[in-house]
Amino acid sequence: MTEANSGTAPTQPTEHDWERANTALIAKSLAELCYEEVLVAEQVTPGKYRVALASGAHYEFAARETIWTWLDIDCASVQRSYNGQRTAAVDAAQFFVDAGEDLALSAATLGNLLHETANTLAADTALLESRRGITAGALAKLPDEKLQCLLDGHPKAIVNKGRIGWGAGEFAHYGTESGAGVGLVWLAVKPGVAVFGNHRDWDFACLLEQSMDKSELQRLARGCRSHGITWDEYLPLPVHPWQWERHIRHNYGGMIALGQIRYLGIFGDEYLPQVSLRTLSNLKRPAALHLKLPLTVLNTSCYRGIPGQYMACGPALSQWMQALCEEDPQLKMRETGVMQEVAGIHVPHPHHEQVAGTPYRYREMLGVTWRESPVSHCGTGERCLMAGALLQCDDHGRSVAGALIESSGLGPRDWLQNLFDRVVVPLYHLLCRYGVGLVAHGQNLTLVLRNDVVNGVLLKDFQGDLRLAEGHFPERDGLPPSADRVLSRLPAAHLTHDLYTGHFVSVLRYLSAQLERETGLEELDFYRSLAGVLRRYQEEARSNWPDMDERFASFDIFRPAMERVCINRVRLQQGYDDTGERPVPAIGTPLENPLWLADHQPSEQGF
């Protein structure tokens, strides 16, 4: 879809919003690229830093170095100097041009980075307009699916809304920040050309009912009859309308011509894109199943397709995970749950599947995962919130986390004790007891709140974000064979990083800095509280399972140093060429572990 046929006039950002979005992106890029050791920040005076670039430009700013050696930069302070002239830094694209040599960017990589920068700024200015005047307290009260449309998004990826492949019309109609509903294309697919699996309680007739009311089901049935289609011979497959037009109609043209794939039309409820773009929630019925659909756009370092190898095992794997949550005493008492993947379909491309090393995006174009909505898990007096939303700030710099703490009536330490006990402990327990590692970043965890206090957590996204520790763990002997065959097995130290990097670095790194600014809770006390919660859990676990000491030693979350995992560096180094596999993060110099520091530095407040 182009702007010309979108039916709406293009919106233009104000100069004020444009400068705010650019300055924020420059500050974020400086902070992350210095953290990843691609750029070097020199401290000029206490609290003042300079990044000198080979181009002759340099950037100066005020910042506080956090416990992670990450610079918490005051956006309003960032200035650019070049040829003796100093100005406010309000041009993010110019920053990347200035830093191109230091980042070792080829001309092609820099060109694509500037493309992603332009797209990210377009989305960021739209968000500034949408959030204008909404306080952190009001943001914190929004339903989760509505709040996701107002979030800044991935805090680590510097150009996190690059969406290469989309234009202004697609941003306006299908972007998360649009807040607009999307009608879905429905196909009928012959089972013989698909890989699929479903929970026994969810046949495909039930899945259709989650997306359509009675009148739409009747309209679909009439369309099927007119084409001679019955659900005894075909599987129903929803497709994002952009994906259908841009990739499926031509790439799967042969299968369509042979009748292996049949086009039915647009039917059913509209869906709201969530912050990950490819996950959609039912706009009319929030408790209905979510849909995860492939979108072959390049965003936050990879194409947002859906790998097919997990489709057959996804329902059984998530059912097994839910059983652990219900039967394991540590998980049950903390009300840990799973947003189960109840069904999935993947249609491999008949030719790309024969080509070893074909770009992975061509192997992930057509499929769907049906997944439980977090709303369906909330009991009376409970509501849900994506963990990444805690970091979102309003125009005055107040965060959703700060607003929840204030409205809960608890102090910051007590509120955080609940967060750590109900979120971090279950992740750590799954790791140590079962050898199950989850990449638990802010999108993969949904908090269940009661009276604005974290009461439990819901886990999701097991397709590639769940890995197993090497070695024998008797506790996971009940793992479904279909999952056992496809899940990756990694050394214990690697899986420790799924918790440390996936959650501590990707969520807590920003939360601890924000709450120090907002509440005065020092970062060392933040991590001392986390360490205390984990130590108490270890004592509980030892009393139930005497063999846990060996597990805690294998998954040593308290060791003095941890590896520094860098996601932006690998994108800059690898460039934008097609690859057969998704990018793998790079490793920098070790980080001093805040949990180790919390154990070894005395508290001045007696905490």
Side-chain angles (χ1 to χ4, degrees), residues 428-451:
Y428 186 50
H429 180 68
L430 282 167
L431 190 60
C432 296
R433 188 67 189 157
Y434 299 96
V436 171
L438 297 171
V439 182
H441 54 67
Q443 292 180 19
N444 282 356
L445 300 174
T446 297
L447 311 178
V448 178
L449 303 175
R450 182 183 290 272
N451 298 323

Side-chain angles (χ1 to χ4, degrees), residues 368-426:
V368 60
T369 296
W370 282 270
R371 184 170 61 209
E372 291 178 327
S373 162
V375 176
S376 67
H377 283 262
C378 292
T380 303
E382 292 181 334
R383 61 193 183 94
C384 54
L385 180 77
M386 191 185 78
L390 294 175
L391 307 173
Q392 185 59 53
C393 292
D394 62 18
D395 291 342
H396 303 288
R398 293 194 66 244
S399 67
V400 168
L404 290 172
I405 291 170
E406 182 177 338
S407 62
S408 73
L410 298 178
R413 290 183 179 83
D414 291 336
W415 193 90
L416 287 168
Q417 294 267 350
N418 281 279
L419 175 72
F420 299 150
D421 185 65
R422 298 302 175 107
V423 177
V424 182
V425 168

